[in-house]
Amino acid sequence: VPELPEVETTRRGLAPLLVGRTFRSVEIRDGRLREPVPTALPALLADRRLGALERRAKYLLFRYAHGTLLLHLGMSGSLRLAPRGEPLRRHDHLRFTLVGSRELRFHDPRRFGLCVWLTGDPLLDARLARLGPEPLGDEFDGDSLRAALRGRKAAVKVLLMDPAVVVGVGNIYASEALFRAGIRPARAGGSLRTAETERLVAAVREVLLAALRAGGTTLRDYVDGGGEAGAFRVRLRVYGRAGEACTVCAAPIRCRVLGQRSTFWCPTCQG
DNA sequence: CTTTAGGCCTGACGGC
DNA sequence: TGCCGTCAGGCCTAAA
């Protein structure tokens, strides 16, 4: 389940191998993603040098002089550099062949991913224009989070996953951050006191940075640009651990659905 | 405005 | 063994 650490791990792994280089050919094997992959993509990328590989929220931006390839991993997507001769797997939907012996493959069993072409300033695209602050950036702090939550009655966990509040935090890291901050997920967002929003900001940063250092979390599908699974799963404190003992107090971890998502927390450590 | 529900899609899993 | 219902979830859209 790619969240910010997984997308950023992918970006960091691929950027040194792709930036400044050219895709010799692009093959759309199955363009039925969240939106249809533009059939003009091979022509658009032919003989063009990749200027930069950036990330905004969970989107990857392949920057070219004449436009931007916007790519999202959805919930089961991965991007991997494979040796050219390696047999294609089921769900290898896109192939970007480099000059040389390797090719970039977009693999996505559930096809919730996205791959579209943007011209002009990509940050003005509707998908990116209304996004909130990056969780690891300076604009995300206790004051801005408190302002974003003010008056909101929805559960703080649901709001943490709202990209207008802060980007990059999905279902796994939302539960993990609230555990680290000692805040109960069902609390109304607007009920958090100043000290709590400060703690939550710090906890979001800590868990995302720790996951980044471990190369992300692999539950099932995720692999980084080199095909490696993320190692953070063993460090998850509450996610997926319903009924197991809390690592701090040994109370059984609880689970309930909030905002149609499974939510995990420790009943004694959190509130 | 905020909040909630549904749809997209496949694979894994449990029950019968 | 095989079929079927359920679950998983990022993100968008529509409706309340």
Side-chain angles (χ1 to χ4, degrees):
Chain A
V1 187
E3 301 184 32
L4 185 144
E6 293 73 34
V7 178
E8 180 63 15
T9 298
T10 297
R11 190 196 68 78
R12 291 181 184 179
L14 292 177
L17 299 163
L18 296 182
V19 172
R21 300 190 64 186
T22 300
F23 294 123
R24 196 165 49 92
S25 63
V26 175
E27 182 189 0
I28 303 171
R29 303 188 67 239
D30 187 345
R32 298 173 300 159
L33 302 183
R34 191 194 313 168
E35 293 178 26
V37 177
T39 53
L41 201 57
L44 282 164
L45 297 186
D47 302 318
R48 302 285 189 162
R49 272 167 46 97
L50 179 63
L53 177 54
E54 299 171 356
R55 179 189 59 77
R56 173 72 172 110
K58 300 174 191 169
Y59 292 91
L60 288 169
L61 289 79
F62 291 71
R63 297 267 207 170
Y64 289 86
H66 64 311
T68 303
L69 183 70
L70 184 70
L71 196 143
H72 196 290
L73 299 177
M75 82 153 260
S76 61
S78 58
L79 272 178
R80 185 174 73 92
L81 270 176
R84 177 97 49 77
E86 186 180 291
L88 286 164
R89 293 179 301 163
R90 196 157 134 80
H91 307 306
D92 280 343
H93 302 314
L94 306 174
R95 303 169 73 188
F96 303 81
T97 304
L98 288 161
V99 174
S101 61
R102 290 198 281 190
E103 63 185 32
L104 183 69
R105 295 182 182 176
F106 178 72
H107 177 87
D108 186 10
R110 273 157 243 195
R111 292 199 272 111
F112 284 2
L114 179 74
C115 180
V116 292
W117 180 254
L118 304 178
T119 53
D121 183 353
L123 299 183
L124 299 180
D125 180 83
R127 303 168 187 85
L128 303 181
R130 293 179 187 176
L131 293 174
E134 288 286 332
L136 302 180
D138 293 338
E139 290 178 23
F140 182 60
D141 59 22
D143 287 340
S144 68
L145 179 59
R146 189 166 162 72
L149 299 183
R150 183 166 296 141
R152 305 288 295 269
K153 293 182 177 176
V156 61
K157 189 263 190 173
V158 173
L159 295 173
L160 254 195
M161 294 174 60
D162 180 351
V165 173
V166 60
V167 302
V169 182
N171 200 43
I172 296 173
Y173 298 120
S175 283
E176 292 297 310
L178 286 161
F179 173 79
R180 288 170 183 242
I183 297 168
R184 206 169 275 253
R187 286 268 303 279
S191 75
L192 266 63
R193 296 175 302 118
T194 304
E196 291 174 317
T197 55
E198 298 280 357
R199 285 212 310 275
L200 187 50
V201 165
V204 166
R205 286 217 178 90
E206 281 171 20
V207 73
L208 294 180
L209 286 170
L212 255 178
R213 285 195 296 272
T217 300
T218 296
L219 293 181
R220 179 170 300 152
D221 299 297
Y222 171 74
V223 293
D224 68 17
E228 297 294 318
F232 197 69
R233 182 176 188 173
V234 297
R235 307 259 303 278
L236 297 176
R237 314 285 283 278
V238 289
Y239 183 85
R241 299 190 66 241
E244 298 178 31
C246 172
T247 56
V248 172
C249 74
I253 298 299
R254 301 191 56 183
C255 176
R256 66 173 276 206
V257 173
L258 286 178
Q260 305 178 100
R261 298 287 184 270
S262 295
T263 303
F264 301 86
W265 79 99
C266 171
T268 55
C269 292
Q270 295 174 255

mmCIF file with all atom_site columns, all heavy atoms in Angstrom, chain A residues 179 236-238 241-254 265-270:
data_model
loop_
_atom_site.group_PDB
_atom_site.id
_atom_site.type_symbol
_atom_site.label_atom_id
_atom_site.label_alt_id
_atom_site.label_comp_id
_atom_site.label_asym_id
_atom_site.label_entity_id
_atom_site.label_seq_id
_atom_site.pdbx_PDB_ins_code
_atom_site.Cartn_x
_atom_site.Cartn_y
_atom_site.Cartn_z
_atom_site.occupancy
_atom_site.B_iso_or_equiv
_atom_site.pdbx_formal_charge
_atom_site.auth_seq_id
_atom_site.auth_comp_id
_atom_site.auth_asym_id
_atom_site.auth_atom_id
_atom_site.pdbx_PDB_model_num
ATOM 1   N N   . PHE A 1 179 ? -0.933  6.475  17.343 1.00 0.00 ? 179 PHE A N   1
ATOM 2   C CA  . PHE A 1 179 ? -0.401  5.688  18.462 1.00 0.00 ? 179 PHE A CA  1
ATOM 3   C C   . PHE A 1 179 ? 0.799   6.399  19.076 1.00 0.00 ? 179 PHE A C   1
ATOM 4   O O   . PHE A 1 179 ? 0.895   6.575  20.291 1.00 0.00 ? 179 PHE A O   1
ATOM 5   C CB  . PHE A 1 179 ? -0.003  4.288  17.985 1.00 0.00 ? 179 PHE A CB  1
ATOM 6   C CG  . PHE A 1 179 ? 0.713   3.487  19.043 1.00 0.00 ? 179 PHE A CG  1
ATOM 7   C CD1 . PHE A 1 179 ? -0.005  2.866  20.053 1.00 0.00 ? 179 PHE A CD1 1
ATOM 8   C CD2 . PHE A 1 179 ? 2.093   3.380  19.049 1.00 0.00 ? 179 PHE A CD2 1
ATOM 9   C CE1 . PHE A 1 179 ? 0.644   2.139  21.046 1.00 0.00 ? 179 PHE A CE1 1
ATOM 10  C CE2 . PHE A 1 179 ? 2.756   2.661  20.028 1.00 0.00 ? 179 PHE A CE2 1
ATOM 11  C CZ  . PHE A 1 179 ? 2.033   2.041  21.042 1.00 0.00 ? 179 PHE A CZ  1
ATOM 12  N N   . LEU A 1 236 ? 5.718   -1.881 12.666 1.00 0.00 ? 236 LEU A N   1
ATOM 13  C CA  . LEU A 1 236 ? 4.385   -1.335 12.892 1.00 0.00 ? 236 LEU A CA  1
ATOM 14  C C   . LEU A 1 236 ? 3.931   -1.695 14.302 1.00 0.00 ? 236 LEU A C   1
ATOM 15  O O   . LEU A 1 236 ? 4.058   -2.834 14.736 1.00 0.00 ? 236 LEU A O   1
ATOM 16  C CB  . LEU A 1 236 ? 3.389   -1.878 11.854 1.00 0.00 ? 236 LEU A CB  1
ATOM 17  C CG  . LEU A 1 236 ? 3.681   -1.509 10.397 1.00 0.00 ? 236 LEU A CG  1
ATOM 18  C CD1 . LEU A 1 236 ? 2.685   -2.199 9.461  1.00 0.00 ? 236 LEU A CD1 1
ATOM 19  C CD2 . LEU A 1 236 ? 3.649   -0.002 10.194 1.00 0.00 ? 236 LEU A CD2 1
ATOM 20  N N   . ARG A 1 237 ? 3.414   -0.692 15.018 1.00 0.00 ? 237 ARG A N   1
ATOM 21  C CA  . ARG A 1 237 ? 3.058   -0.900 16.419 1.00 0.00 ? 237 ARG A CA  1
ATOM 22  C C   . ARG A 1 237 ? 1.601   -1.283 16.607 1.00 0.00 ? 237 ARG A C   1
ATOM 23  O O   . ARG A 1 237 ? 1.260   -1.963 17.568 1.00 0.00 ? 237 ARG A O   1
ATOM 24  C CB  . ARG A 1 237 ? 3.329   0.386  17.213 1.00 0.00 ? 237 ARG A CB  1
ATOM 25  C CG  . ARG A 1 237 ? 4.677   1.007  16.916 1.00 0.00 ? 237 ARG A CG  1
ATOM 26  C CD  . ARG A 1 237 ? 5.804   0.248  17.566 1.00 0.00 ? 237 ARG A CD  1
ATOM 27  N NE  . ARG A 1 237 ? 5.897   0.514  18.975 1.00 0.00 ? 237 ARG A NE  1
ATOM 28  C CZ  . ARG A 1 237 ? 6.499   1.571  19.522 1.00 0.00 ? 237 ARG A CZ  1
ATOM 29  N NH1 . ARG A 1 237 ? 7.043   2.487  18.743 1.00 0.00 ? 237 ARG A NH1 1
ATOM 30  N NH2 . ARG A 1 237 ? 6.559   1.715  20.812 1.00 0.00 ? 237 ARG A NH2 1
ATOM 31  N N   . VAL A 1 238 ? 0.715   -0.801 15.726 1.00 0.00 ? 238 VAL A N   1
ATOM 32  C CA  . VAL A 1 238 ? -0.704  -1.108 15.880 1.00 0.00 ? 238 VAL A CA  1
ATOM 33  C C   . VAL A 1 238 ? -1.352  -1.634 14.598 1.00 0.00 ? 238 VAL A C   1
ATOM 34  O O   . VAL A 1 238 ? -2.236  -2.500 14.670 1.00 0.00 ? 238 VAL A O   1
ATOM 35  C CB  . VAL A 1 238 ? -1.509  0.124  16.393 1.00 0.00 ? 238 VAL A CB  1
ATOM 36  C CG1 . VAL A 1 238 ? -1.171  0.409  17.844 1.00 0.00 ? 238 VAL A CG1 1
ATOM 37  C CG2 . VAL A 1 238 ? -1.277  1.351  15.535 1.00 0.00 ? 238 VAL A CG2 1
ATOM 38  N N   . ARG A 1 241 ? -2.573  -5.340 13.903 1.00 0.00 ? 241 ARG A N   1
ATOM 39  C CA  . ARG A 1 241 ? -2.232  -6.128 15.086 1.00 0.00 ? 241 ARG A CA  1
ATOM 40  C C   . ARG A 1 241 ? -3.421  -6.296 16.036 1.00 0.00 ? 241 ARG A C   1
ATOM 41  O O   . ARG A 1 241 ? -3.223  -6.508 17.234 1.00 0.00 ? 241 ARG A O   1
ATOM 42  C CB  . ARG A 1 241 ? -1.057  -5.476 15.821 1.00 0.00 ? 241 ARG A CB  1
ATOM 43  C CG  . ARG A 1 241 ? 0.215   -5.390 14.983 1.00 0.00 ? 241 ARG A CG  1
ATOM 44  C CD  . ARG A 1 241 ? 1.430   -4.955 15.793 1.00 0.00 ? 241 ARG A CD  1
ATOM 45  N NE  . ARG A 1 241 ? 1.775   -5.952 16.775 1.00 0.00 ? 241 ARG A NE  1
ATOM 46  C CZ  . ARG A 1 241 ? 1.785   -5.753 18.092 1.00 0.00 ? 241 ARG A CZ  1
ATOM 47  N NH1 . ARG A 1 241 ? 1.456   -4.570 18.579 1.00 0.00 ? 241 ARG A NH1 1
ATOM 48  N NH2 . ARG A 1 241 ? 2.090   -6.708 18.916 1.00 0.00 ? 241 ARG A NH2 1
ATOM 49  N N   . ALA A 1 242 ? -4.639  -6.239 15.523 1.00 0.00 ? 242 ALA A N   1
ATOM 50  C CA  . ALA A 1 242 ? -5.823  -6.367 16.387 1.00 0.00 ? 242 ALA A CA  1
ATOM 51  C C   . ALA A 1 242 ? -5.734  -7.623 17.251 1.00 0.00 ? 242 ALA A C   1
ATOM 52  O O   . ALA A 1 242 ? -5.454  -8.704 16.756 1.00 0.00 ? 242 ALA A O   1
ATOM 53  C CB  . ALA A 1 242 ? -7.089  -6.407 15.529 1.00 0.00 ? 242 ALA A CB  1
ATOM 54  N N   . GLY A 1 243 ? -5.962  -7.448 18.562 1.00 0.00 ? 243 GLY A N   1
ATOM 55  C CA  . GLY A 1 243 ? -5.934  -8.573 19.489 1.00 0.00 ? 243 GLY A CA  1
ATOM 56  C C   . GLY A 1 243 ? -4.555  -8.902 20.022 1.00 0.00 ? 243 GLY A C   1
ATOM 57  O O   . GLY A 1 243 ? -4.429  -9.581 21.039 1.00 0.00 ? 243 GLY A O   1
ATOM 58  N N   . GLU A 1 244 ? -3.519  -8.435 19.356 1.00 0.00 ? 244 GLU A N   1
ATOM 59  C CA  . GLU A 1 244 ? -2.156  -8.688 19.844 1.00 0.00 ? 244 GLU A CA  1
ATOM 60  C C   . GLU A 1 244 ? -1.808  -7.697 20.952 1.00 0.00 ? 244 GLU A C   1
ATOM 61  O O   . GLU A 1 244 ? -2.446  -6.676 21.125 1.00 0.00 ? 244 GLU A O   1
ATOM 62  C CB  . GLU A 1 244 ? -1.150  -8.556 18.694 1.00 0.00 ? 244 GLU A CB  1
ATOM 63  C CG  . GLU A 1 244 ? -1.374  -9.576 17.573 1.00 0.00 ? 244 GLU A CG  1
ATOM 64  C CD  . GLU A 1 244 ? -0.399  -9.391 16.427 1.00 0.00 ? 244 GLU A CD  1
ATOM 65  O OE1 . GLU A 1 244 ? 0.745   -8.950 16.678 1.00 0.00 ? 244 GLU A OE1 1
ATOM 66  O OE2 . GLU A 1 244 ? -0.777  -9.670 15.275 1.00 0.00 ? 244 GLU A OE2 1
ATOM 67  N N   . ALA A 1 245 ? -0.756  -8.008 21.698 1.00 0.00 ? 245 ALA A N   1
ATOM 68  C CA  . ALA A 1 245 ? -0.379  -7.172 22.834 1.00 0.00 ? 245 ALA A CA  1
ATOM 69  C C   . ALA A 1 245 ? 0.316   -5.898 22.379 1.00 0.00 ? 245 ALA A C   1
ATOM 70  O O   . ALA A 1 245 ? 1.193   -5.925 21.516 1.00 0.00 ? 245 ALA A O   1
ATOM 71  C CB  . ALA A 1 245 ? 0.546   -7.959 23.765 1.00 0.00 ? 245 ALA A CB  1
ATOM 72  N N   . CYS A 1 246 ? -0.086  -4.776 22.973 1.00 0.00 ? 246 CYS A N   1
ATOM 73  C CA  . CYS A 1 246 ? 0.586   -3.509 22.726 1.00 0.00 ? 246 CYS A CA  1
ATOM 74  C C   . CYS A 1 246 ? 2.062   -3.641 23.110 1.00 0.00 ? 246 CYS A C   1
ATOM 75  O O   . CYS A 1 246 ? 2.397   -4.212 24.154 1.00 0.00 ? 246 CYS A O   1
ATOM 76  C CB  . CYS A 1 246 ? -0.075  -2.408 23.549 1.00 0.00 ? 246 CYS A CB  1
ATOM 77  S SG  . CYS A 1 246 ? 0.806   -0.833 23.503 1.00 0.00 ? 246 CYS A SG  1
ATOM 78  N N   . THR A 1 247 ? 2.940   -3.088 22.279 1.00 0.00 ? 247 THR A N   1
ATOM 79  C CA  . THR A 1 247 ? 4.389   -3.209 22.536 1.00 0.00 ? 247 THR A CA  1
ATOM 80  C C   . THR A 1 247 ? 4.813   -2.381 23.744 1.00 0.00 ? 247 THR A C   1
ATOM 81  O O   . THR A 1 247 ? 5.901   -2.583 24.274 1.00 0.00 ? 247 THR A O   1
ATOM 82  C CB  . THR A 1 247 ? 5.184   -2.735 21.303 1.00 0.00 ? 247 THR A CB  1
ATOM 83  O OG1 . THR A 1 247 ? 4.787   -1.403 20.992 1.00 0.00 ? 247 THR A OG1 1
ATOM 84  C CG2 . THR A 1 247 ? 4.944   -3.647 20.118 1.00 0.00 ? 247 THR A CG2 1
ATOM 85  N N   . VAL A 1 248 ? 3.934   -1.459 24.172 1.00 0.00 ? 248 VAL A N   1
ATOM 86  C CA  . VAL A 1 248 ? 4.287   -0.614 25.324 1.00 0.00 ? 248 VAL A CA  1
ATOM 87  C C   . VAL A 1 248 ? 3.651   -1.139 26.608 1.00 0.00 ? 248 VAL A C   1
ATOM 88  O O   . VAL A 1 248 ? 4.328   -1.285 27.629 1.00 0.00 ? 248 VAL A O   1
ATOM 89  C CB  . VAL A 1 248 ? 3.839   0.850  25.071 1.00 0.00 ? 248 VAL A CB  1
ATOM 90  C CG1 . VAL A 1 248 ? 4.018   1.692  26.329 1.00 0.00 ? 248 VAL A CG1 1
ATOM 91  C CG2 . VAL A 1 248 ? 4.622   1.437  23.903 1.00 0.00 ? 248 VAL A CG2 1
ATOM 92  N N   . CYS A 1 249 ? 2.341   -1.445 26.582 1.00 0.00 ? 249 CYS A N   1
ATOM 93  C CA  . CYS A 1 249 ? 1.628   -1.768 27.819 1.00 0.00 ? 249 CYS A CA  1
ATOM 94  C C   . CYS A 1 249 ? 1.012   -3.161 27.819 1.00 0.00 ? 249 CYS A C   1
ATOM 95  O O   . CYS A 1 249 ? 0.412   -3.555 28.814 1.00 0.00 ? 249 CYS A O   1
ATOM 96  C CB  . CYS A 1 249 ? 0.535   -0.728 28.065 1.00 0.00 ? 249 CYS A CB  1
ATOM 97  S SG  . CYS A 1 249 ? -0.887  -0.930 26.965 1.00 0.00 ? 249 CYS A SG  1
ATOM 98  N N   . ALA A 1 250 ? 1.111   -3.880 26.733 1.00 0.00 ? 250 ALA A N   1
ATOM 99  C CA  . ALA A 1 250 ? 0.619   -5.259 26.610 1.00 0.00 ? 250 ALA A CA  1
ATOM 100 C C   . ALA A 1 250 ? -0.902  -5.389 26.531 1.00 0.00 ? 250 ALA A C   1
ATOM 101 O O   . ALA A 1 250 ? -1.425  -6.493 26.420 1.00 0.00 ? 250 ALA A O   1
ATOM 102 C CB  . ALA A 1 250 ? 1.139   -6.154 27.733 1.00 0.00 ? 250 ALA A CB  1
ATOM 103 N N   . ALA A 1 251 ? -1.618  -4.272 26.550 1.00 0.00 ? 251 ALA A N   1
ATOM 104 C CA  . ALA A 1 251 ? -3.072  -4.353 26.345 1.00 0.00 ? 251 ALA A CA  1
ATOM 105 C C   . ALA A 1 251 ? -3.349  -4.817 24.910 1.00 0.00 ? 251 ALA A C   1
ATOM 106 O O   . ALA A 1 251 ? -2.567  -4.544 24.005 1.00 0.00 ? 251 ALA A O   1
ATOM 107 C CB  . ALA A 1 251 ? -3.703  -2.981 26.589 1.00 0.00 ? 251 ALA A CB  1
ATOM 108 N N   . PRO A 1 252 ? -4.485  -5.523 24.703 1.00 0.00 ? 252 PRO A N   1
ATOM 109 C CA  . PRO A 1 252 ? -4.796  -5.965 23.343 1.00 0.00 ? 252 PRO A CA  1
ATOM 110 C C   . PRO A 1 252 ? -5.120  -4.783 22.428 1.00 0.00 ? 252 PRO A C   1
ATOM 111 O O   . PRO A 1 252 ? -5.936  -3.931 22.791 1.00 0.00 ? 252 PRO A O   1
ATOM 112 C CB  . PRO A 1 252 ? -6.010  -6.885 23.518 1.00 0.00 ? 252 PRO A CB  1
ATOM 113 C CG  . PRO A 1 252 ? -6.355  -6.894 24.957 1.00 0.00 ? 252 PRO A CG  1
ATOM 114 C CD  . PRO A 1 252 ? -5.451  -5.988 25.706 1.00 0.00 ? 252 PRO A CD  1
ATOM 115 N N   . ILE A 1 253 ? -4.491  -4.769 21.256 1.00 0.00 ? 253 ILE A N   1
ATOM 116 C CA  . ILE A 1 253 ? -4.744  -3.720 20.275 1.00 0.00 ? 253 ILE A CA  1
ATOM 117 C C   . ILE A 1 253 ? -6.154  -3.873 19.731 1.00 0.00 ? 253 ILE A C   1
ATOM 118 O O   . ILE A 1 253 ? -6.603  -4.980 19.470 1.00 0.00 ? 253 ILE A O   1
ATOM 119 C CB  . ILE A 1 253 ? -3.720  -3.793 19.120 1.00 0.00 ? 253 ILE A CB  1
ATOM 120 C CG1 . ILE A 1 253 ? -2.305  -3.578 19.664 1.00 0.00 ? 253 ILE A CG1 1
ATOM 121 C CG2 . ILE A 1 253 ? -4.055  -2.798 18.021 1.00 0.00 ? 253 ILE A CG2 1
ATOM 122 C CD1 . ILE A 1 253 ? -2.092  -2.242 20.332 1.00 0.00 ? 253 ILE A CD1 1
ATOM 123 N N   . ARG A 1 254 ? -6.836  -2.766 19.582 1.00 0.00 ? 254 ARG A N   1
ATOM 124 C CA  . ARG A 1 254 ? -8.213  -2.800 19.110 1.00 0.00 ? 254 ARG A CA  1
ATOM 125 C C   . ARG A 1 254 ? -8.318  -2.345 17.664 1.00 0.00 ? 254 ARG A C   1
ATOM 126 O O   . ARG A 1 254 ? -7.420  -1.699 17.132 1.00 0.00 ? 254 ARG A O   1
ATOM 127 C CB  . ARG A 1 254 ? -9.097  -1.924 20.004 1.00 0.00 ? 254 ARG A CB  1
ATOM 128 C CG  . ARG A 1 254 ? -9.066  -2.395 21.465 1.00 0.00 ? 254 ARG A CG  1
ATOM 129 C CD  . ARG A 1 254 ? -10.124 -1.722 22.279 1.00 0.00 ? 254 ARG A CD  1
ATOM 130 N NE  . ARG A 1 254 ? -11.459 -1.931 21.693 1.00 0.00 ? 254 ARG A NE  1
ATOM 131 C CZ  . ARG A 1 254 ? -12.570 -1.403 22.175 1.00 0.00 ? 254 ARG A CZ  1
ATOM 132 N NH1 . ARG A 1 254 ? -12.514 -0.631 23.241 1.00 0.00 ? 254 ARG A NH1 1
ATOM 133 N NH2 . ARG A 1 254 ? -13.729 -1.645 21.606 1.00 0.00 ? 254 ARG A NH2 1
ATOM 134 N N   . TRP A 1 265 ? -5.724  0.844  17.322 1.00 0.00 ? 265 TRP A N   1
ATOM 135 C CA  . TRP A 1 265 ? -5.187  1.688  18.394 1.00 0.00 ? 265 TRP A CA  1
ATOM 136 C C   . TRP A 1 265 ? -5.076  0.896  19.688 1.00 0.00 ? 265 TRP A C   1
ATOM 137 O O   . TRP A 1 265 ? -5.670  -0.182 19.825 1.00 0.00 ? 265 TRP A O   1
ATOM 138 C CB  . TRP A 1 265 ? -6.062  2.927  18.585 1.00 0.00 ? 265 TRP A CB  1
ATOM 139 C CG  . TRP A 1 265 ? -7.320  2.713  19.372 1.00 0.00 ? 265 TRP A CG  1
ATOM 140 C CD1 . TRP A 1 265 ? -7.521  2.988  20.695 1.00 0.00 ? 265 TRP A CD1 1
ATOM 141 C CD2 . TRP A 1 265 ? -8.561  2.162  18.897 1.00 0.00 ? 265 TRP A CD2 1
ATOM 142 N NE1 . TRP A 1 265 ? -8.803  2.655  21.062 1.00 0.00 ? 265 TRP A NE1 1
ATOM 143 C CE2 . TRP A 1 265 ? -9.465  2.140  19.986 1.00 0.00 ? 265 TRP A CE2 1
ATOM 144 C CE3 . TRP A 1 265 ? -8.993  1.681  17.668 1.00 0.00 ? 265 TRP A CE3 1
ATOM 145 C CZ2 . TRP A 1 265 ? -10.763 1.664  19.879 1.00 0.00 ? 265 TRP A CZ2 1
ATOM 146 C CZ3 . TRP A 1 265 ? -10.291 1.194  17.560 1.00 0.00 ? 265 TRP A CZ3 1
ATOM 147 C CH2 . TRP A 1 265 ? -11.165 1.203  18.651 1.00 0.00 ? 265 TRP A CH2 1
ATOM 148 N N   . CYS A 1 266 ? -4.293  1.434  20.625 1.00 0.00 ? 266 CYS A N   1
ATOM 149 C CA  . CYS A 1 266 ? -4.162  0.840  21.945 1.00 0.00 ? 266 CYS A CA  1
ATOM 150 C C   . CYS A 1 266 ? -5.096  1.576  22.908 1.00 0.00 ? 266 CYS A C   1
ATOM 151 O O   . CYS A 1 266 ? -4.968  2.789  23.067 1.00 0.00 ? 266 CYS A O   1
ATOM 152 C CB  . CYS A 1 266 ? -2.726  0.934  22.453 1.00 0.00 ? 266 CYS A CB  1
ATOM 153 S SG  . CYS A 1 266 ? -2.599  0.451  24.196 1.00 0.00 ? 266 CYS A SG  1
ATOM 154 N N   . PRO A 1 267 ? -6.017  0.865  23.565 1.00 0.00 ? 267 PRO A N   1
ATOM 155 C CA  . PRO A 1 267 ? -7.020  1.533  24.400 1.00 0.00 ? 267 PRO A CA  1
ATOM 156 C C   . PRO A 1 267 ? -6.425  2.187  25.652 1.00 0.00 ? 267 PRO A C   1
ATOM 157 O O   . PRO A 1 267 ? -7.061  3.077  26.221 1.00 0.00 ? 267 PRO A O   1
ATOM 158 C CB  . PRO A 1 267 ? -7.987  0.398  24.775 1.00 0.00 ? 267 PRO A CB  1
ATOM 159 C CG  . PRO A 1 267 ? -7.197  -0.856 24.610 1.00 0.00 ? 267 PRO A CG  1
ATOM 160 C CD  . PRO A 1 267 ? -6.219  -0.592 23.509 1.00 0.00 ? 267 PRO A CD  1
ATOM 161 N N   . THR A 1 268 ? -5.253  1.782  26.067 1.00 0.00 ? 268 THR A N   1
ATOM 162 C CA  . THR A 1 268 ? -4.677  2.425  27.257 1.00 0.00 ? 268 THR A CA  1
ATOM 163 C C   . THR A 1 268 ? -3.640  3.481  26.905 1.00 0.00 ? 268 THR A C   1
ATOM 164 O O   . THR A 1 268 ? -3.598  4.536  27.524 1.00 0.00 ? 268 THR A O   1
ATOM 165 C CB  . THR A 1 268 ? -4.049  1.389  28.212 1.00 0.00 ? 268 THR A CB  1
ATOM 166 O OG1 . THR A 1 268 ? -3.103  0.608  27.485 1.00 0.00 ? 268 THR A OG1 1
ATOM 167 C CG2 . THR A 1 268 ? -5.094  0.485  28.795 1.00 0.00 ? 268 THR A CG2 1
ATOM 168 N N   . CYS A 1 269 ? -2.817  3.235  25.897 1.00 0.00 ? 269 CYS A N   1
ATOM 169 C CA  . CYS A 1 269 ? -1.790  4.229  25.545 1.00 0.00 ? 269 CYS A CA  1
ATOM 170 C C   . CYS A 1 269 ? -2.393  5.459  24.864 1.00 0.00 ? 269 CYS A C   1
ATOM 171 O O   . CYS A 1 269 ? -1.779  6.523  24.854 1.00 0.00 ? 269 CYS A O   1
ATOM 172 C CB  . CYS A 1 269 ? -0.761  3.613  24.615 1.00 0.00 ? 269 CYS A CB  1
ATOM 173 S SG  . CYS A 1 269 ? 0.274   2.351  25.388 1.00 0.00 ? 269 CYS A SG  1
ATOM 174 N N   . GLN A 1 270 ? -3.555  5.299  24.259 1.00 0.00 ? 270 GLN A N   1
ATOM 175 C CA  . GLN A 1 270 ? -4.140  6.402  23.493 1.00 0.00 ? 270 GLN A CA  1
ATOM 176 C C   . GLN A 1 270 ? -5.420  6.894  24.172 1.00 0.00 ? 270 GLN A C   1
ATOM 177 O O   . GLN A 1 270 ? -6.488  6.351  23.966 1.00 0.00 ? 270 GLN A O   1
ATOM 178 C CB  . GLN A 1 270 ? -4.422  5.957  22.053 1.00 0.00 ? 270 GLN A CB  1
ATOM 179 C CG  . GLN A 1 270 ? -3.142  5.616  21.297 1.00 0.00 ? 270 GLN A CG  1
ATOM 180 C CD  . GLN A 1 270 ? -3.402  5.044  19.924 1.00 0.00 ? 270 GLN A CD  1
ATOM 181 O OE1 . GLN A 1 270 ? -3.259  3.855  19.718 1.00 0.00 ? 270 GLN A OE1 1
ATOM 182 N NE2 . GLN A 1 270 ? -3.778  5.892  18.975 1.00 0.00 ? 270 GLN A NE2 1
#
